[in-house]
Amino acid sequence: SDLVAKDAEGNPANQVTFVEDAIAAGNVGALMIAAMDAPMLEDVCEQARKAGIAVDFLGVAPEYQIAGYIATAYSITGMYAVNAAEDWVAQRVAEGGNVPTDADGKYEVAVDYYLDITDGIYRSNAIVGTLAESATLTCVSTTQAYGNSAQQDAYDNAQAVLAAHPDCRIFIAYEPDEAMGAAAAIADYAA
């Protein structure tokens, strides 16, 4: 069997076109889609199902019938990112580390989130919501860096956060590219 990878390049309409192309090809047996906008795919996925193509989603469970899905609990990953930050600051302070607080005695956090796909909404909302409920952390910035220039955008965002909030020591990033960009900005700032 052949596997053909397609990149929607951040545009959910491209995923609709890919499914239409698979139906038109007449020789596709299955589609695995990291659905960016599940409602947008509903009609075309129904057409694929009727054409005998098994459709599976990664990361989201749609409100309509498909062959199957694998849904990660993205909200839990967001919540645990904040819990890890709370644990880190508690351990660091317990070791005698000098982690500055704001006027309310809370540790400042900058968040790089992503809201253009369902998974991103779940994780990002969980990060921001868990931060809002934290007794020890406070969110001082929310920015979005995602896509081809994610590392550079995250670098620039982190530099701006550090200029405005020089006591911010905790950065929570949606994905690795954003984390690497923020880490590079922090290293340059610290130097």
Side-chain angles (χ1 to χ4, degrees):
S1 71
D2 293 328
L3 171 67
V4 178
K6 301 279 186 172
D7 181 359
E9 298 177 349
N11 183 352
N14 288 345
Q15 291 184 323
V16 172
T17 301
F18 296 155
V19 177
E20 291 169 343
D21 292 348
I23 295 166
N27 63 351
V28 174
L31 296 169
M32 181 66 69
I33 304 169
M36 298 170 67
D37 185 339
M40 181 184 282
L41 288 163
E42 183 172 7
D43 291 341
V44 75
C45 283
E46 176 61 17
Q47 293 168 24
R49 188 181 69 74
K50 288 178 179 175
I53 300 172
V55 177
D56 292 296
F57 280 0
L58 292 172
V60 65
E63 303 274 326
Y64 49 88
Q65 179 184 355
I66 58 172
Y69 61 88
I70 300 169
T72 302
Y74 280 87
S75 56
I76 292 174
T77 64
M79 179 188 73
Y80 279 125
V82 175
N83 293 155
E86 290 171 324
D87 290 345
W88 173 84
V89 79
Q91 298 250 351
R92 187 72 184 107
V93 170
E95 298 168 351
N98 180 18
V99 183
T101 61
D102 68 4
D104 296 325
K106 290 190 171 193
Y107 302 95
E108 296 179 344
V109 180
V111 176
D112 190 278
Y113 63 93
Y114 184 57
L115 300 175
D116 291 346
I117 59 173
T118 303
D119 300 344
I121 293 168
Y122 293 153
R123 179 181 288 155
S124 299
N125 285 345
I127 291 169
V128 173
T130 306
L131 275 172
E133 298 296 321
S134 177
T136 58
L137 305 177
T138 185
C139 185
V140 296
S141 173
T142 54
T143 56
Q144 182 168 297
Y146 191 84
N148 295 334
S149 61
Q151 266 188 336
Q152 183 62 51
D153 291 346
Y155 178 95
D156 294 343
N157 291 340
Q159 285 284 324
V161 167
L162 290 166
H165 302 278
D167 290 337
C168 186
R169 298 292 186 269
I170 303 169
F171 288 74
I172 298 175
Y174 177 77
E175 285 193 342
D177 283 343
E178 293 83 353
M180 290 186 293
I186 294 163
D188 287 349
Y189 180 82

